[in-house]
């Protein structure tokens, strides 16, 4: 079975290398799961592997690639006339600044809902206590809730998405604000032990950046300096995640740091072998036909009720002295429970086709804001696939709607001879 997995990995690399270099959704998706699965294979002496779940994941990746290749080969749109896309820099900087300010409302007000104030940030002991109390409250089901606060959560996600989109199109001041749109997510991670908010912010920022590059035909050049900067940013990102996990315990000690280190590696990789074990033993036939993958919609409509965390099934996956245990998630679990293996692969083929279709439409300037949002959603789905479906959260869906309206306002598609009022 190991040789079969390796063969499938080579097939994925052969099909996707061009898309990887161009940072297209298919290439990003393939790169993510090739690295994760290859790492699990290298750790086979300490990790339980059943192989069938890994084969299913690679089948989904290949189907995504197949959809992309099919659209690239069989569909060539032609514009009715040459088009030029213009961007309103002045309005965008104003909107970006407003979004940045409003994005901080949710994390700050959440502190007050739990009985804390900004003064708690000035003391290490108070910060530890605050992180621990908010984490306990959240996972015990007693999380402080405000409809007004939840409404502002949308801005916490819209800000980094639009910030990433603006980065290559605005001046130095705008670039600074663009990068700062990630700060509300970092603030949330360090004060409330909610790592996913920061991860989401970074994913959305990168997605916006990539979609902007496609929309305005801006090349993505890989330089040594950029690689060093990327590695430095990644190191800072990992450090913040680690610190957030330590703060969540409410204390700092050598034993806590050792335990968190073990948990950190488990969280980073454990979901892959756990899904593999779960897939090999599950016999789910009670399909929900999109109910879980689109939890944000079905929960809003009252069709299904999305619980905190969605999944709470923990499976031990370590062996030979390694005591690894993780929850069973990834978007692939949702797909299996919604559609089963065969139709999940069909759906992934459609995702690959849609991503390339939207990209081609953007190249010729057709339905620009709509295709920008579609391509952004695909990128977010791909980046978030190691967790769950990105469409399982109502606030994310609302974010797409708000960003769509903003993109309509700040962009204009014109014939080149028409005057512009930028």
């Amino acid at each position: 079975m190991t040789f079969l997995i390796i063969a499938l990995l080579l097939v994925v690399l052969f099909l996707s290398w061009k898309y990887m270099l161009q940072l297209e959704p298919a290439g990003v998706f393939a790169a993510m799961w090739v690295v994760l699965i290859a790492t699990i294979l290298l750790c086979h002496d300490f990790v339980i592997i059943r192989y069938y779940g890994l084969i299913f994941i690679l089948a989904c990746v290949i189907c995504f690639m197949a959809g992309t290749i099919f659209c690239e080969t069989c569909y060539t749109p032609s514009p009715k006339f040459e088009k030029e896309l213009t961007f309103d820099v002045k309005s965008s900087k104003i909107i970006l600044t407003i979004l940045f300010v409003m994005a901080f409302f949710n994390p700050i007000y959440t502190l007050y809902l739990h009985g804390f104030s900004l003064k708690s940030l000035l003391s290490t002991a108070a910060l530890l206590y605050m992180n621990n109390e908010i984490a306990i409250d959240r996972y015990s089901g007693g999380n402080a809730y405000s409809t007004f606060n939840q409404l502002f959560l949308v801005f916490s996600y819209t800000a980094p998405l639009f910030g990433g989109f603006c980065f290559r199109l605005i001046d130095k001041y705008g670039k600074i604000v663009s990068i700062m749109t990630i700060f509300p997510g970092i603030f949330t991670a360090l004060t409330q032990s909610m790592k996913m908010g920061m991860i989401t912010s970074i994913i959305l920022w990168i997605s916006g950046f990539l979609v902007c590059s496609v929309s305005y035909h801006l090349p993505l050049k890989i330089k040594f300096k950029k690689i060093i900067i990327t590695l430095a940013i990644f190191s800072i990102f990992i450090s913040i995640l680690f610190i957030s996990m330590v703060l969540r315990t409410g204390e700092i000690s050598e034993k806590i740091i050792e335990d968190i280190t073990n948990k950190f590696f488990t969280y980073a990789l454990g979901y892959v072998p756990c899904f593999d074990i779960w897939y090999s033993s599950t016999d789910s036939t009670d399909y929900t036909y999109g109910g879980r993958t689109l939890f944000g919609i079905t929960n809003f409509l009252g069709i299904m009720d999305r619980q905190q965390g969605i999944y709470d099934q923990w499976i031990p996956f370590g062996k030979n002295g390694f005591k690894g245990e993780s929850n069973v998630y990834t978007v692939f679990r949702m797909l299996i429970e919604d559609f089963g293996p065969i139709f999940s692969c069909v759906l992934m083929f459609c995702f690959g086709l849609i991503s390339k279709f939207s990209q081609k439409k953007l190249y010729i300037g057709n339905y620009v804001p709509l295709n920008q949002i579609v391509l952004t959603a695909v990128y977010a789905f791909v980046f978030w696939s190691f967790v769950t479906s990105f469409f399982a959260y109502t606030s994310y869906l609302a974010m797409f709607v708000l960003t769509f309206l903003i993109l309509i306002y700040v962009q204009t598609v014109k014939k080149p001879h028409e005057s512009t009022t930028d």
Side-chain angles (χ1 to χ4, degrees):
M1 292 293 282
T2 301
F3 291 109
L4 175 59
I5 298 290
I6 293 173
L8 289 174
L9 288 174
L10 293 175
V11 169
V12 170
L13 288 173
F14 175 76
L15 293 174
S16 64
W17 67 269
K18 180 179 71 172
Y19 303 109
M20 288 182 184
L21 294 176
Q22 296 172 349
L23 294 178
E24 294 189 23
V28 173
F29 194 48
M32 280 178 55
W33 289 101
V34 164
V35 170
L36 286 170
I37 292 177
T39 303
I40 294 303
L41 291 180
L42 291 173
C43 298
H44 69 278
D45 287 336
F46 304 98
V47 173
I48 297 173
I49 303 177
R50 297 283 187 256
Y51 296 103
Y52 294 105
L54 303 184
I55 291 174
F56 171 73
I57 292 174
L58 289 175
C60 286
V61 173
I62 291 173
C63 287
F64 195 107
M65 294 296 312
T68 300
I69 295 171
F70 177 81
C71 184
E72 183 176 33
T73 305
C74 302
Y75 177 66
T76 305
S78 56
K80 295 180 180 179
F81 54 85
E82 188 178 355
K83 298 178 181 180
E84 179 181 337
L85 182 61
T86 61
F87 184 76
D88 188 343
V89 175
K90 183 178 180 180
S91 296
S92 295
K93 288 195 296 182
I94 296 173
I95 293 172
L96 191 59
T97 304
I98 294 172
L99 288 174
F100 170 70
V101 173
M102 296 180 76
F104 264 110
F105 181 90
N106 175 269
I108 292 175
Y109 189 54
T110 298
L111 298 183
Y112 283 92
L113 286 176
H114 285 86
F116 298 98
S117 68
L118 293 178
K119 292 182 180 179
S120 303
L121 304 178
L122 303 177
S123 167
T124 302
L127 184 63
L128 288 169
Y129 176 74
M130 179 173 62
N131 271 272
N132 182 250
E133 286 298 306
I134 293 177
I136 291 174
D137 194 27
R138 182 169 63 251
Y139 286 100
S140 64
N143 191 26
Y145 176 83
S146 166
T147 303
F148 191 60
N149 192 37
Q150 290 297 112
L151 178 64
F152 274 85
L153 182 61
V154 177
F155 295 103
S156 297
Y157 301 132
T158 306
L161 175 55
F162 188 60
F165 186 90
C166 291
F167 184 79
R168 304 190 73 179
L169 302 174
I170 50 182
D171 57 21
K172 186 176 181 180
Y173 164 78
K175 283 179 167 55
I176 293 173
V177 179
S178 167
I179 294 172
M180 290 175 64
T181 56
I182 301 174
F183 287 5
I186 296 175
F187 179 83
T188 301
L190 293 177
T191 59
Q192 302 168 37
S193 295
M194 291 183 64
K195 302 176 291 297
M196 286 307 173
M198 182 178 70
I199 295 173
T200 302
S201 296
I202 294 174
I203 285 175
L204 290 172
W205 197 97
I206 295 173
S207 298
F209 179 90
L210 294 174
V211 171
C212 171
S213 300
V214 172
S215 303
Y216 289 87
H217 307 280
L218 301 173
L220 293 166
K221 297 179 180 179
I222 300 177
K223 298 181 179 180
F224 179 75
K225 181 180 178 181
K226 291 183 178 180
I227 293 175
I228 297 299
I229 293 174
T230 301
L231 291 175
I233 293 173
F234 182 74
S235 299
I236 295 172
F237 169 68
I238 295 298
S239 299
I240 293 174
L241 285 180
F242 187 85
I243 293 171
S244 173
M245 293 174 68
V246 172
L247 292 174
R248 181 174 170 177
T249 63
E251 62 176 293
I252 299 178
S253 65
E254 184 177 344
K255 183 178 184 304
I256 287 295
I257 293 177
E258 182 180 351
D259 290 343
I260 294 300
T261 301
N262 292 332
K263 286 184 178 181
F264 194 84
F265 286 107
T266 298
Y267 289 164
L269 297 171
Y271 51 87
V272 180
C274 279
F275 172 80
D276 179 49
I277 295 170
W278 174 85
Y279 180 87
S280 301
S281 59
T282 190
D283 189 24
S284 177
T285 56
D286 187 19
Y287 302 136
T288 47
Y289 303 103
R292 294 182 180 275
T293 307
L294 300 175
F295 242 143
I297 297 175
T298 55
N299 178 67
F300 177 76
L301 296 176
I303 299 173
M304 296 183 66
D305 184 22
R306 185 176 68 83
Q307 302 296 326
Q308 173 69 37
I310 300 180
Y311 293 121
D312 57 2
Q313 181 182 3
W314 291 76
I315 292 179
F317 64 89
K319 65 179 182 180
N320 294 334
F322 177 59
K323 299 179 180 180
E325 186 180 45
S326 179
N327 201 344
V328 183
Y329 47 99
T330 75
V331 71
F332 303 106
R333 174 170 180 174
M334 285 186 155
L335 291 172
I336 287 293
E337 293 181 336
D338 272 346
F339 306 103
I342 295 177
F343 284 103
S344 293
C345 289
V346 173
L347 185 63
M348 297 308 294
F349 177 90
C350 294
F351 266 106
L353 189 151
I354 290 170
S355 69
K356 194 63 182 181
F357 178 84
S358 295
Q359 186 184 52
K360 286 194 169 190
K361 284 291 188 181
L362 280 178
Y363 277 139
I364 64 172
N366 281 0
Y367 303 102
V368 172
L370 176 61
N371 283 296
Q372 285 171 336
I373 288 298
V374 170
L375 190 58
T376 300
V378 175
Y379 268 119
F381 177 87
V382 164
F383 281 121
W384 196 250
S385 60
F386 74 98
V387 185
T388 56
S389 166
F390 197 79
F391 311 128
Y393 302 89
T394 309
S395 53
Y396 293 170
L397 299 178
M399 168 206 66
F400 286 132
V401 175
L402 179 57
T403 306
F404 173 67
L405 296 176
I406 293 173
L407 291 176
I408 290 176
Y409 180 75
V410 300
Q411 295 179 118
T412 306
V413 179
K414 295 184 177 182
K415 295 181 181 179
H417 66 271
E418 293 180 346
S419 62
T420 59
T421 55
D422 200 11

